Amino acid sequence: TPLLTVSHLEKSYQKTHILHDISFDLDAGEVLTLLGPSGSGKSTLLRCLNGLEAFQAGTLTFAGEVITQKAKQWQQLRQQIGMVFQSYDLFPNRTVLENILLGPLKVQKRSRETVLPEVEKLLQQVGMRDYRDAYPRQLSGGQKQRIAIVRALALKPRLMLFDEVTASLDPEMVRDVLTIIRQLADTHQMTMLVVTHEMDFAQQISDQVLFLADGRIQEQTPGPQFFKRP
Ligand code: ADP
Ligand code: ADP
């Protein structure tokens, strides 16, 4: 069974209808990229999946459970759905390690002894082990984005949502960050939904491609098939 099923989701802002009849499945361990022109509704869809936006109709099923839009249910769900944004939102007065540990220790109340080895492994995987005591201002954009990814992963979510995480990065950093996302998906069997404009890299990391235009799904296609066409 899929980890996430979106069924006939509809979203509007006041009178403006943004998302129309959105239905798709996401299997555990898959990387799905969400492509489409600017303004097609990609960010809005991610925010609906993360409970940041309410929607007017349709259902979400996550890990076999139908999600109503009750606040209490979303509180639990947010622990299982991590999100990384274009802006890194790291606390400037805390070190890299402190930024990452905050969620697992304060929010999830896990012990430092269990979390620290996991975090160190993640830092090593993204090539940032030597920066654990650095402050965000000492890092490049690509490095900050890797830390933001580690921070989200440290919460051990079952699903990760990435919203244009490479949009403010230099081209060489884009490759780095997307390669890291694919590696993390493979080594941790993570399920990932990635919004990006980078077609080259979407091609390299996607198991499935969802193409959105004017708030409608035009197609859901296996990655290799999507990119093989002329
Ligand atoms: P994308 O991420 O594909 O660029 P968005 O989801 O950001 O698209 O936006 C889709 C459409 O929804 C756009 O027309 C945008 O102007 C509109 N929109 C986004 N957020 C809001 C909002 N808070 N209120 C009204 N319209 C919005
Ligand atoms: P993105 O770069 O992700 O597409 P935008 O620049 O379109 O984002 O939007 C930035 C913020 O403004 C978002 O929080 C979005 O919800 C909000 N927004 C976008 N379009 C509108 C709109 N037409 N009316 C109100 N808010 C909007």
Side-chain angles (χ1 to χ4, degrees):
T1 58
L3 178 65
L4 173 72
T5 299
V6 179
S7 183
H8 305 294
L9 185 144
E10 304 279 341
K11 167 71 185 170
S12 13
Y13 291 113
Q14 285 88 39
K15 294 206 177 80
T16 317
H17 208 138
I18 307 286
L19 296 174
H20 306 264
D21 197 22
I22 301 289
S23 298
F24 66 94
D25 284 336
L26 180 52
D27 285 340
E30 271 196 333
V31 176
L32 183 146
T33 51
L34 182 53
L35 301 176
S38 186
S40 57
K42 304 183 296 295
S43 291
T44 303
L45 177 54
L46 279 200
R47 291 200 302 270
C48 288
L49 301 183
N50 196 28
L52 294 173
E53 294 275 3
F55 45 92
Q56 281 74 33
T59 56
L60 299 181
T61 310
F62 185 80
E65 194 178 348
V66 176
I67 308 307
T68 61
Q69 296 195 49
K70 295 210 179 77
K72 198 172 172 193
Q73 197 176 18
W74 274 113
Q75 274 173 16
Q76 293 169 354
L77 210 63
R78 283 219 190 87
Q79 305 242 355
Q80 301 187 52
I81 303 179
M83 186 146 174
V84 183
F85 299 91
Q86 178 179 338
S87 60
Y88 328 107
D89 298 321
L90 300 173
F91 292 108
N93 298 324
R94 293 177 185 266
T95 64
V96 161
L97 188 63
E98 289 166 348
N99 264 284
I100 297 167
L101 289 179
L102 214 56
L105 300 191
K106 302 279 179 200
V107 180
Q108 294 183 328
K109 314 281 186 205
R110 298 172 61 213
S111 79
R112 197 182 168 90
E113 300 84 82
T114 51
V115 176
L116 198 56
E118 293 170 9
V119 166
E120 285 183 332
K121 190 162 168 229
L122 286 169
L123 282 172
Q124 174 156 17
Q125 270 191 310
V126 304
M128 292 296 290
R129 203 183 53 177
D130 296 341
Y131 293 85
R132 46 174 271 179
D133 299 319
Y135 286 87
R137 66 172 176 278
Q138 299 171 293
L139 308 180
S140 72
Q143 290 175 327
K144 278 187 271 205
Q145 196 54 282
R146 290 187 221 184
I147 297 307
I149 292 170
V150 168
R151 182 182 51 180
L153 282 169
L155 293 164
K156 296 190 162 183
R158 298 179 71 175
L159 170 64
M160 284 277 287
L161 308 176
F162 295 92
D163 192 2
E164 293 280 7
V165 289
T166 57
S168 54
L169 302 183
D170 296 335
E172 64 270 28
M173 287 291 171
V174 171
R175 170 184 279 276
D176 260 24
V177 168
L178 290 174
T179 305
I180 282 165
I181 289 174
R182 182 71 242 185
Q183 281 170 357
L184 291 169
D186 291 340
T187 55
H188 297 267
Q189 286 297 298
M190 286 282 311
T191 311
M192 299 186 168
L193 206 167
V194 182
V195 171
T196 183
H197 280 115
E198 307 286 342
M199 294 295 268
D200 284 356
F201 298 106
Q203 178 163 12
Q204 292 173 32
I205 68 172
S206 308
D207 297 311
Q208 295 275 336
V209 174
L210 205 62
F211 191 86
L212 210 63
D214 288 329
R216 293 175 199 277
I217 293 181
Q218 302 298 308
E219 58 176 295
Q220 177 170 12
T221 315
Q225 197 175 319
F226 183 89
F227 291 104
K228 207 156 55 186
R229 286 172 307 197

